[in-house]
Amino acid sequence: PTGLAVASILCLSELLKSNYHFNFRSNILTVLVRQSNNKRCTKVSQACCDALKHVFATDAQGDVSLEATKLLAKMIKERPNRIRPDVLRTFLSLPLRVHEDE
């Protein structure tokens, strides 16, 4: 990718980290999820994965995390065996709670 493309994706990842509750978050999530599997530029891929991890860790209501998880799952289904390990590691940041039935 060109320098301008890298800079814009890095800016989008920082924007998502700083404030992910706004009306264009779906567009930003779509771009970041797609670029998280970028095999040509590890800097872009790492920045996107870090932004998604931050959202997973800090989203109290879970709406944004659910949307990002659905987009990641869709991408993984469309590209089997072509997903970077870092993309799969982002799921480890999901705060899953296990409730035992009494």
Side-chain angles (χ1 to χ4, degrees):
T2 64
L4 182 61
V6 171
S8 63
I9 292 170
L10 294 177
C11 288
L12 284 175
S13 66
E14 289 300 318
L15 179 63
L16 188 70
K17 281 183 187 179
S18 66
N19 189 6
Y20 50 83
H21 289 292
F22 57 92
N23 53 354
F24 289 112
R25 76 168 181 236
S26 297
N27 299 346
I28 293 175
L29 280 173
T30 302
V31 170
L32 292 183
V33 165
R34 193 176 317 130
Q35 291 299 318
S36 66
N37 199 36
N38 190 329
K39 292 181 170 68
R40 288 187 223 135
C41 185
T42 57
K43 184 177 182 180
V44 166
S45 177
Q46 190 61 43
C48 294
C49 288
D50 289 344
L52 292 170
K53 287 178 188 178
H54 178 77
V55 168
F56 289 158
T58 59
D59 184 21
Q61 293 178 340
D63 297 338
V64 183
S65 296
L66 177 64
E67 187 175 350
T69 303
K70 285 181 179 181
L71 288 169
L72 279 167
K74 181 180 176 185
M75 181 184 70
I76 291 168
K77 283 181 185 178
E78 290 173 353
R79 302 174 186 180
N81 302 325
R82 292 182 290 168
I83 301 296
R84 295 183 73 233
D86 292 338
V87 175
L88 297 176
R89 284 190 203 105
T90 60
F91 286 116
L92 296 175
S93 298
L94 281 169
L96 301 176
R97 296 179 199 98
V98 177
H99 294 283
E100 293 183 22
D101 294 333
E102 294 183 45

